[in-house]
Amino acid sequence: MTFPDIMIILARGAGYTILVTIASVSAGLAAGLFLSVLGTLRWKAVSFFLGAYTYVFRSIPVLVLLFLVFFGLPGLGIRISPFVSIVLTLGLISGAYLAEIFRGAMAGVGQDEILAAEASGMNRMQVFLYIIFPQMFRMSIPGMINEFTTVLKYTPFAYTVGIPEIMKEAMSLAVMTLRGLEIYLALGIIYFIIYRLFVMLFMTLEKKYRIPGLAPE
Amino acid sequence: MALIQVRNLVKKFDGRDVLKGVSIDLYKGQAKVLMGTSGCGKSTLLRCLNLLVQPTSGQVIFKGEDITLPGVDVRKVRGEIGFVFQHFALYRHLTVEENVTLGLRKIKKIKSREASEKASYELNRVGMFEHRNKYPAQLSGGQKQRAAIVRALAMDPDVLFLDEPTSALDPQMSREVVTVINRLFLDNITMFCVTHDAFLAKYISDSIVFMDDGVIVAEDIAERLFYESADPRIKQFFMSVADHR
Ligand SMILES: Nc1ncnc2c1ncn2[C@@H]1O[C@H](COP(=O)(O)OP(=O)(O)O)[C@@H](O)[C@H]1O
Ligand SMILES: [Mg+2]
């Protein structure tokens, strides 16, 4: 088996890696957004819950949470697929980080603009949708890119629950061919390529939709 | 009947009286300027009138309805009052045109195309049409304030409130904005404007209301208030603003 052959097999596994990453980040975005919106309500019980959430999910190791979800939940009669398990795990964790990112960005939204929107007769929902969210989202882009790459680097854990992503493919190949050096080197290169491609994509989008005077600090 | 009738308006912040029984009338087509030392309650008064601040007691009768009563449609009232702020408060993430059309589309539910046409027309009137696709950060202070005035006016409000519209501008840019507000005055737009700018006050008002420490001290036309008032508070105020010019 030549190096290019190895690359091709691994590239197939990369598809799962990308899928897991995108699904997990999407789940994380949804969770993070929900949590940060909840945070704006400033209710005591809610803030306590949010504090506890971020504290727990930022300190628990990914693999522990993944096993808890995949092997633990069936004990409660909840059976979920390997794919849902990893997406749920990474989504919960990155949701905690993303909520912090959104919260920080939300603090940067112009208070006088919010007042102007209220003065013009918008309700709270409209103020959020048309003023707060667009500004917050743009200012969160660097943080979101960061979180995306973090999640990408957590995806190898998916192999532990049986998803045929790139890590799993690499391990089988290494066992079959006993050429660990080349295989894991190829694996590193592929991760790097995925990472670079996504960063380039985000940067291009960010540049295209950049707004003068609304740059994240 | 006056468009806005304020009766005995009181506003307390943390037990402290900021407005101590203000009564004032604003008629349709009338332009009034509100002057007074910093911190005397001018912004608070404006904000009570469109319910950005809830008055503690007293009445605000807007178009015949007491809007301080519970159950009033606050957003409807606000939608009928245009508000221009000292620091412009343009939406940073939107272009000039989008700043103007947002309220038209989302609050007045006007179709995008019509909203955009209206925005173009109104922007053109204040010399801002060529800047319609710029973002606030790309504008000078005077341009920002003109855009903010258009944003408020495009909603066809019953009255336009302006809270120190030229205070954040240098004299040159201030003049641009005064010119625009003066034209609104000549068009008989109903206005209530807070300013420290005696020049602006004179050119855009039918009468000037002078407030001190939460009470209205005097109301008169500019000439008489500026030059003939015997009230020491008023004399001192105009001496101090005259020094600045
Ligand atoms: N939201 C608020 N909470 C507490 N105090 C306030 C608030 N808004 C205004 N004040 C106080 O009310 C007084 C009048 O303020 P303001 O109406 O802004 O004065 P002006 O516009 O005449 O300069 C000031 O002493 C100010 O500190
Ligand atoms: Mg003020």
Side-chain angles (χ1 to χ4, degrees):
Chain A
M1 212 182 265
T2 61
F3 189 72
D5 291 335
I6 293 170
M7 287 291 278
I8 288 168
I9 294 176
L10 290 181
R12 254 183 268 141
Y16 274 102
T17 295
I18 293 172
L19 188 67
V20 168
T21 306
I22 291 177
S24 302
V25 170
S26 306
L29 283 174
L33 202 58
F34 175 74
L35 293 170
S36 59
V37 171
L38 215 59
T40 62
L41 296 177
R42 292 199 188 85
W43 292 341
K44 267 236 172 67
V46 171
S47 341
F48 178 78
F49 166 75
L50 293 180
Y53 181 95
T54 19
Y55 185 74
V56 169
F57 287 107
R58 292 208 308 193
S59 37
I60 196 166
V62 176
L63 202 53
V64 174
L65 185 63
L66 178 60
F67 282 12
L68 199 59
V69 168
F70 187 69
F71 299 111
L73 285 186
L76 299 174
I78 305 168
R79 303 198 66 84
I80 48 180
S81 70
F83 181 76
V84 173
S85 303
I86 184 82
V87 169
L88 188 65
T89 301
L90 294 181
L92 284 169
I93 291 173
S94 74
Y97 287 95
L98 285 166
E100 289 290 299
I101 290 166
F102 288 142
R103 221 166 48 90
M106 207 157 343
V109 176
Q111 284 306 310
D112 53 344
E113 293 163 62
I114 294 174
L115 191 68
E118 282 170 354
S120 74
M122 283 189 209
N123 61 34
R124 286 178 70 168
M125 192 64 196
Q126 289 172 321
V127 173
F128 181 80
L129 278 182
Y130 307 129
I131 311 297
I132 299 176
F133 180 75
Q135 292 194 11
M136 177 195 83
F137 192 79
R138 281 205 175 74
M139 290 191 284
S140 305
I141 288 175
M144 289 193 287
I145 294 177
N146 215 355
E147 195 48 34
F148 186 93
T149 60
T150 305
V151 169
L152 174 65
K153 286 180 216 161
Y154 280 150
T155 54
F157 287 126
Y159 93 89
T160 60
V161 292
I163 295 177
E165 48 71 71
I166 189 167
M167 186 71 198
K168 194 170 163 66
E169 297 288 4
M171 288 169 75
S172 331
L173 271 177
V175 170
M176 264 163 33
T177 62
L178 298 176
R179 287 160 66 181
L181 179 65
E182 283 147 287
I183 288 162
Y184 290 118
L185 192 63
L187 183 64
I189 292 170
I190 288 174
Y191 270 113
F192 180 76
I193 292 171
I194 297 175
Y195 165 77
R196 278 314 304 170
L197 283 179
F198 272 110
V199 169
M200 272 159 59
L201 175 73
F202 287 140
M203 290 300 182
T204 313
L205 286 176
E206 201 269 332
K207 211 172 238 160
K208 178 144 187 253
Y209 295 104
R210 180 175 296 168
I211 287 171
L214 196 76
E217 66 285 358
Chain B
M1 192 183 63
L3 178 71
I4 303 179
Q5 283 180 293
V6 183
R7 291 291 173 268
N8 247 319
L9 192 72
V10 172
K11 177 62 194 177
K12 291 183 208 255
F13 279 121
D14 319 313
R16 192 167 67 91
D17 288 22
V18 170
L19 298 178
K20 304 172 178 177
V22 170
S23 297
I24 196 171
D25 287 325
L26 185 70
Y27 288 85
K28 200 167 164 357
Q30 196 180 30
K32 272 192 187 178
V33 159
L34 177 61
M35 299 184 90
T37 48
S38 209
C40 74
K42 304 180 297 296
S43 298
T44 303
L45 175 57
L46 281 192
R47 286 169 191 203
C48 280
L49 303 190
N50 77 342
L51 303 173
L52 278 178
V53 166
Q54 183 62 37
T56 307
S57 68
Q59 292 177 304
V60 177
I61 297 160
F62 177 60
K63 301 210 284 189
E65 185 193 6
D66 186 350
I67 58 171
T68 61
L69 297 177
V72 166
D73 186 347
V74 174
R75 290 197 295 277
K76 179 165 175 289
V77 170
R78 290 180 187 163
E80 292 169 351
I81 296 175
F83 212 115
V84 173
F85 297 84
Q86 178 177 353
H87 295 286
F88 330 119
L90 290 175
Y91 309 132
R92 279 179 288 173
H93 60 297
L94 301 179
T95 62
V96 167
E97 181 176 307
E98 289 163 348
N99 262 276
V100 178
T101 57
L102 183 69
L104 293 174
R105 289 184 295 120
K106 303 303 179 186
I107 301 167
K108 293 212 142 188
K109 312 286 182 202
I110 294 174
K111 289 209 183 69
S112 294
R113 184 80 190 276
E114 281 168 59
S116 171
E117 275 165 17
K118 175 145 179 98
S120 295
Y121 174 77
E122 299 282 351
L123 285 168
N124 200 26
R125 275 161 47 105
V126 300
M128 286 295 293
F129 180 73
E130 60 185 305
H131 303 298
R132 68 191 181 286
N133 292 323
K134 288 188 183 166
Y135 286 94
Q138 298 168 308
L139 303 175
S140 74
Q143 292 168 339
K144 282 183 201 169
Q145 197 59 299
R146 283 185 280 156
I149 291 171
V150 169
R151 177 175 69 179
L153 277 181
M155 299 283 283
D156 292 323
D158 291 305
V159 52
L160 187 64
F161 287 176
L162 304 105
D163 195 350
E164 305 201 30
T166 58
S167 297
L169 303 173
D170 66 33
Q172 161 63 30
M173 295 195 280
S174 178
R175 207 164 318 134
E176 284 171 32
V177 172
V178 172
T179 308
V180 168
I181 302 174
N182 177 247
R183 199 160 72 230
L184 304 181
F185 169 61
L186 297 176
D187 286 345
N188 292 316
I189 303 284
T190 315
M191 284 192 283
F192 196 31
C193 176
V194 173
T195 184
H196 290 287
D197 186 339
F199 176 73
L200 174 65
K202 202 161 151 181
Y203 285 99
I204 61 147
S205 69
D206 298 304
S207 76
I208 296 178
V209 179
F210 188 83
M211 192 157 115
D212 188 59
D213 195 19
V215 290
I216 304 272
V217 177
E219 174 168 353
D220 212 331
I221 57 168
E223 282 74 12
R224 278 208 293 272
L225 199 72
F226 287 7
Y227 307 117
E228 294 168 25
S229 176
D231 191 309
R233 289 169 295 189
I234 299 177
K235 273 184 167 167
Q236 201 194 351
F237 176 80
F238 284 111
M239 236 136 68
S240 70
V241 295
D243 284 346
H244 283 298
R245 294 199 60 81

